[in-house]
């Protein structure tokens, strides 16, 4: 038996903050965040490998019933990942004008994004796909 977890931004949903929706739209816009839709390809890879006994058991993580500490950790995992990717582009001097504007916007709005993320009315489902397979 083995487990496969892979990112898939097609399962990203957030509600309650237009600013955070904008920030999440930057996830696949840098050279260092990778291809972010590969989770949906796993079934075809498994099938081509001759593995027929597998199941999709989870499609992401959400903030429902999270403590504030857990929410903060999820916020940092998402926003700092984007920020660090954009900063790496800038460090290597390969950042586009658009991504430089995204970096500036994220840095200027970091605390506002965090405040929105921590509100009780904010919802997020951050997409990945988790499979279990048996051979």
């Amino acid at each position: 038996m083995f487990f496969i977890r892979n990112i898939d931004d097609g399962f990203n949903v957030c509600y309650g903050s237009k600013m955070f929706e904008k920030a999440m739209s930057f996830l696949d816009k840098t050279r260092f965040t990778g291809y972010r839709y590969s989770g949906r390809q796993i079934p075809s890879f498994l099938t081509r490998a001759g593995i027929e006994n597998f199941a999709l058991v989870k499609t992401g993580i959400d903030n429902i019933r999270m403590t504030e500490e857990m929410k903060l950790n999820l916020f940092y995992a998402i926003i700092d990942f984007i920020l660090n990717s954009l900063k790496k582009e800038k460090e290597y001097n390969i950042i586009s004008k658009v991504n430089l504007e995204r970096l500036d916007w994220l840095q200027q709005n970091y605390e506002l994004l965090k405040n929105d993320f921590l509100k009780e009315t904010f919802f997020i489902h951050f997409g990945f796909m988790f499979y279990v397979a048996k051979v």
Side-chain angles (χ1 to χ4, degrees), residues 19-56:
M19 284 182 66
F20 205 85
E21 284 181 44
K22 179 178 179 175
M24 286 196 42
S25 75
F26 303 162
L27 271 165
D28 64 350
K29 303 295 190 282
T30 84
R31 299 170 194 236
F32 297 105
T33 55
Y35 178 63
R36 303 196 49 85
Y37 297 92
S38 54
R40 65 190 70 189
Q41 295 173 311
I42 300 299
S44 64
F45 296 154
L46 293 171
T47 300
R48 281 185 278 179
I51 300 168
E52 297 176 7
N53 190 5
F54 62 89
L56 174 64

Side-chain angles (χ1 to χ4, degrees), residues 6-21:
N6 208 336
I7 199 74
D8 200 302
D9 284 347
F11 286 89
N12 290 347
V13 175
C14 71
Y15 174 80
S17 172
K18 293 290 183 193
M19 284 182 66
F20 205 85
E21 284 181 44

